[in-house]
Amino acid sequence: MKSSLKKVWITLWRPAAKISLGVLALGGFVAGVIFWGGFNTALEMTNTEKFCISCHSMRDTVYPELKGTVHWENHSGVRATCPDCHVPHNWSDKIARKMQASKEVFGSIVGTIDTPEKFEAKRLELAQHEWKRFAANKSLECKSCHSYSSMKWDEMSPRAQAQMKQAAVKDQSCIDCHKGIAHHLPADMASSGGIVSELSAASQSTDYSKGDTYYSVQFLPLYEDEAKTKDGGSLEPASAVKVVDIKDDMLQIELNGWRKEKGFGRVINQDFGMNIPTAALSKNAAQSSGIVKGFEQKEDDVTGLKWQQVTATLWVEKKNFVSDISTVWTAAKSAYNTNCSVCHTQPAENHFDANTWPGMFNGMLAFVNFDTDSEAIVLKYLQNHSSDFSKAEH
């Protein structure tokens, strides 16, 4: 036994050319410790908010956005910084993320996103990369602080409780529903903001004829006269109008609908008892007997309000109309399916009646990036395909 140990000792310390094996092994171990310590120190230095905002493309864009959210300042005093949300906490995923982030650093160095304007142009692409990563790991960084198992269901609103319990069962990624919770949503999200531009492009090929019906694709100003000197109000998107006359680039149109007799009756709705707006008239136009003609009167059994069937004749510019409403509904349906199915359980269009949909839809708007025209189009699509109009089971 002693002779064996002696041989090992001699082997370790026998000169290998000029340096013994033992010294080489010890030196390698010390060098490894120094390297590993230096590597981890450098890694942790890049894991700080100070490092993240050292380039002005981050400091001047997403950083101020974060400072205006509950993740920065709240009643509990817990702050989530850049690496808390964007760097995985386990080591292997952290290294992979660092390698991925090197592209962003390179982009900043070479000037791809070195100005706010360039950053905004790339915001959608950058956001989609992060959303894809969060979807793949089920928002692991979020769940290091927010845990489904730690949630107090009884302290939530009934609606939030129902949705969060469904998310917990599926271990759903937080970012599915909470895009834009820490930073601004991209302004040019093609899944939603493209509705109006798409419909406006389609409207350019519309041929107008007297007596035919057309459908607006966005909010349009109305006028009392063809010279556009007197404000007549505003036409809602996806509203049907009948062309009475055509003069150069102006259309004289006829609007048919119902209005509540209470007040000035400025809002013309699509049908009796349904809050589906077709147009909001100016006060003068609403009270003008030369513009608005009244017919049948009915009382709404639910609200007790009296409604009057009316026809209004006004002028509008000859553009932004399509001849087939299905063109509008197809675009609206696509936007609804794309934006609303990724969050909570998507309600079928006929799950609610026409007057219930506005309240439900308004609750969804915080999670999507619709412009005003798109909001009106999608809501009108839902109302026109609600249980009031659909006999199919939901």
Side-chain angles (χ1 to χ4, degrees):
M1 182 66 177
K2 288 183 178 180
S3 60
S4 298
L5 289 173
K6 185 176 180 181
K7 287 179 181 180
V8 170
W9 181 258
I10 292 172
T11 301
L12 285 173
W13 292 97
R14 179 184 298 149
K18 295 183 179 180
I19 304 174
S20 68
L21 259 172
V23 172
L24 286 174
L26 182 61
F29 174 76
V30 172
V33 170
I34 293 173
F35 170 78
W36 187 253
F39 176 77
N40 271 292
T41 299
L43 190 66
E44 288 308 310
M45 286 178 64
T46 65
N47 258 13
T48 63
E49 187 175 88
K50 183 178 179 181
F51 176 83
C52 293
I53 62 172
S54 60
C55 59
H56 59 80
S57 59
M58 297 290 108
R59 185 186 66 239
D60 299 338
T61 54
V62 291
Y63 184 56
E65 295 169 8
L66 171 64
K67 293 172 74 173
T69 70
V70 71
H71 281 100
W72 179 264
E73 196 170 46
N74 50 71
H75 67 275
S76 62
V78 178
R79 176 173 293 173
T81 62
C82 308
D84 291 325
C85 299
H86 294 285
V87 180
H89 295 200
N90 56 309
W91 195 83
S92 58
D93 288 338
K94 181 186 295 185
I95 297 300
R97 176 69 185 114
K98 291 295 182 182
M99 294 174 66
Q100 185 185 56
S102 63
K103 297 179 186 177
E104 298 161 20
V105 175
F106 178 76
S108 184
I109 293 172
V110 300
T112 305
I113 53 174
D114 63 340
T115 68
E117 292 76 20
K118 290 180 181 179
F119 182 86
E120 287 302 325
K122 299 279 286 184
R123 184 189 282 266
L124 178 59
E125 180 184 341
L126 295 170
Q128 287 174 332
H129 288 322
E130 274 300 88
W131 293 341
K132 184 177 181 180
R133 187 178 67 81
F134 274 111
N137 70 8
K138 292 188 178 293
S139 295
L140 194 61
E141 290 78 33
C142 302
K143 291 173 183 176
S144 64
C145 293
H146 304 281
S147 168
Y148 286 125
S149 61
S150 301
M151 292 181 178
K152 293 185 177 180
W153 308 110
D154 294 340
E155 294 184 9
M156 295 182 184
S157 67
R159 183 182 175 197
Q161 182 181 141
Q163 304 296 359
M164 289 301 295
K165 282 187 175 180
Q166 290 181 40
V169 169
K170 297 183 288 185
D171 192 24
Q172 194 169 352
S173 173
C174 309
I175 207 67
D176 284 351
C177 300
H178 298 289
K179 291 182 179 73
I181 198 169
H183 303 295
H184 295 170
L185 285 169
D188 55 350
M189 289 176 71
S191 60
S192 60
I195 302 176
V196 177
S197 59
E198 174 188 334
L199 292 173
S200 293
S203 72
Q204 292 177 14
S205 60
T206 301
D207 292 322
Y208 298 92
S209 300
K210 293 180 183 180
D212 288 345
T213 298
Y214 301 90
Y215 304 89
S216 54
V217 301
Q218 63 183 108
F219 283 98
L220 299 172
L222 295 170
Y223 305 95
E224 291 188 25
D225 60 332
E226 61 179 290
K228 302 189 290 186
T229 61
K230 296 181 180 179
D231 174 35
S234 176
L235 183 68
E236 292 266 340
S239 295
V241 302
K242 180 182 177 181
V243 173
V244 178
D245 197 5
I246 303 174
K247 291 189 178 181
D248 298 325
D249 61 347
M250 297 296 290
L251 301 173
Q252 187 178 39
I253 59 172
E254 181 181 278
L255 305 172
N256 294 296
W258 292 76
R259 68 178 181 180
K260 300 169 188 175
E261 291 192 349
K262 185 177 181 180
F264 298 113
R266 293 174 58 179
V267 177
I268 298 179
N269 290 288
Q270 182 178 306
D271 212 335
F272 168 73
M274 296 184 186
N275 296 312
I276 309 176
T278 294
L281 305 185
S282 64
K283 182 179 176 181
N284 185 67
Q287 293 180 307
S288 172
S289 59
I291 294 174
V292 180
K293 304 294 184 184
F295 301 99
E296 179 186 2
Q297 293 181 333
K298 290 172 66 175
E299 184 176 303
D300 186 352
D301 293 335
V302 177
T303 63
L305 295 175
K306 292 181 179 179
W307 290 59
Q308 181 187 39
Q309 188 175 21
V310 296
T311 295
T313 305
L314 292 151
W315 290 86
V316 67
E317 292 183 5
K318 190 172 63 176
K319 60 181 181 180
N320 291 312
F321 288 92
V322 292
S323 58
D324 187 355
I325 189 60
S326 65
T327 303
V328 180
W329 293 157
T330 299
K333 179 179 176 64
S334 176
Y336 176 62
N337 289 337
T338 300
N339 288 272
C340 302
S341 61
V342 295
C343 290
H344 312 308
T345 303
Q346 184 184 14
E349 291 88 337
N350 65 345
H351 189 77
F352 303 109
D353 61 40
N355 287 344
T356 300
W357 259 120
M360 299 303 299
F361 185 70
N362 287 338
M364 301 177 186
L365 292 179
F367 306 105
V368 296
N369 194 39
F370 285 137
D371 54 72
T372 304
D373 292 299
S374 299
E375 287 178 16
I377 291 171
V378 175
L379 175 57
K380 215 161 190 182
Y381 161 76
L382 295 170
Q383 290 182 291
N384 277 273
H385 294 79
S386 66
S387 58
D388 289 311
F389 299 93
S390 174
K391 302 301 178 184
E393 293 185 6
H394 59 73

